[in-house]
Amino acid sequence: GAVVSQHPSRVICKSGTSVKIECRSLDFQATTMFWYRQFPKQSLMLMATSNEGSKATYEQGVEKDKFLINHASLTLSTLTVTSAHPEDSSFYICSASGGRLEQYFGPGTRLTVT
Amino acid sequence: GNSVTQMEGPVTLSEEAFLTINCTYTATGYPSLFWYVQYPGEGLQLLLKATKADDKGSNKGFEATYRKETTSFHLEKGSVQVSDSAVYFCALSVLSGGSNYKLTFGKGTLLTVNP
């Protein structure tokens, strides 16, 4: 149980375009979803926390107009990187929680902006 | 604030060697502690956890004990295998904003086990 999927697993886009990443909880209801960013050989940096039906709460230094997060249902959250630039290239990982302590992580999405 | 410090790698061991990866933390409040493992190109998997002092988390031969007096949660395994090669993250979780548990991660330790 507690499976989280992400789609796509890899995406390459041109600079200036927008990219949407989906995060789904497959077998439980995720009241809270988290979005992380991971740079090569570094730790995970929490970008934002979203509760179903509410606006996301962004961590300090994360541009909310650039990284749009939607959590419209208990099984789906999306992260849209708007007007992507090469410096946005990274590994994006989501996690989901059913309102309890544990977070279950998706497999990640590798974004490359050319 | 909350922070996690874990030993820097990379760590390279031979198969069947003993593994220790040190982790210490600072936290406001009473955190829960975790070890996550990340295999190449994948997301994170929970390896083990402990939610209160003196608890021992264990899984797949790995163990870690929540030591409040030393604010530590060191990961150990008596005999590592090649398949244990991965990046290991120590993390803590505290209740934030009234209802959400936010994870704070260490920088990760790359473990390579050679045959």
Side-chain angles (χ1 to χ4, degrees):
Chain A
V3 178
V4 177
S5 69
Q6 273 185 251
H7 178 79
S9 57
R10 294 177 179 270
V11 58
I12 301 173
C13 71
K14 293 185 182 297
S15 186
T17 62
S18 295
V19 173
K20 180 184 285 188
I21 302 169
E22 292 185 350
C23 177
R24 293 182 184 272
S25 58
L26 300 185
D27 53 4
F28 68 102
Q29 293 188 324
T31 53
T32 306
M33 287 187 169
F34 304 83
W35 286 95
Y36 296 85
R37 183 172 180 178
Q38 185 180 31
F39 293 98
K41 298 184 180 181
Q42 293 190 29
S43 189
L44 280 73
M45 180 192 78
L46 179 65
M47 299 174 66
T49 303
S50 71
N51 290 304
E52 185 264 340
S54 303
K55 288 185 178 181
T57 301
Y58 291 81
E59 295 299 302
Q60 192 171 10
V62 178
E63 300 175 60
K64 62 180 181 180
D65 294 330
K66 180 168 188 60
F67 298 100
L68 301 180
I69 292 171
N70 183 277
H71 189 172
S73 79
L74 285 171
T75 58
L76 173 65
S77 176
T78 60
L79 167 68
T80 302
V81 183
T82 62
S83 186
H85 291 283
E87 57 266 29
D88 298 325
S89 298
S90 193
F91 194 51
Y92 292 88
I93 302 175
C94 73
S95 71
S97 169
R100 303 181 69 180
L101 174 62
E102 289 194 31
Q103 294 181 29
Y104 300 95
F105 285 80
T109 297
R110 174 75 59 193
L111 169 64
T112 304
V113 185
T114 60
Chain B
N2 302 319
S3 67
V4 175
T5 303
Q6 63 183 101
M7 65 184 285
E8 298 208 13
V11 174
T12 303
L13 297 172
S14 297
E15 207 164 21
E16 299 184 2
F18 184 85
L19 168 71
T20 299
I21 301 178
N22 289 338
C23 172
T24 58
Y25 67 90
T26 59
T28 54
Y30 204 152
S32 295
L33 303 174
F34 304 83
W35 277 99
Y36 284 88
V37 58
Q38 185 179 32
Y39 298 100
E42 298 183 12
L44 272 66
Q45 301 176 26
L46 177 65
L47 181 60
L48 53 84
K49 69 177 180 182
T51 58
K52 61 183 187 295
D54 299 324
D55 266 3
K56 177 186 285 187
S58 62
N59 186 26
K60 300 181 181 179
F62 291 89
E63 294 183 338
T65 301
Y66 190 145
R67 301 287 187 201
K68 188 178 181 184
E69 64 275 15
T70 55
T71 61
S72 65
F73 194 53
H74 304 321
L75 182 68
E76 296 183 338
K77 186 173 185 180
S79 176
V80 293
Q81 306 300 313
V82 173
S83 58
D84 293 328
S85 299
V87 179
Y88 292 82
F89 291 95
C90 184
L92 67 82
S93 177
V94 292
L95 196 58
S96 174
S99 61
N100 293 320
Y101 288 95
K102 293 173 64 172
L103 282 168
T104 300
F105 287 91
K107 291 187 175 181
T109 302
L110 173 63
L111 170 66
T112 302
V113 180
N114 295 319

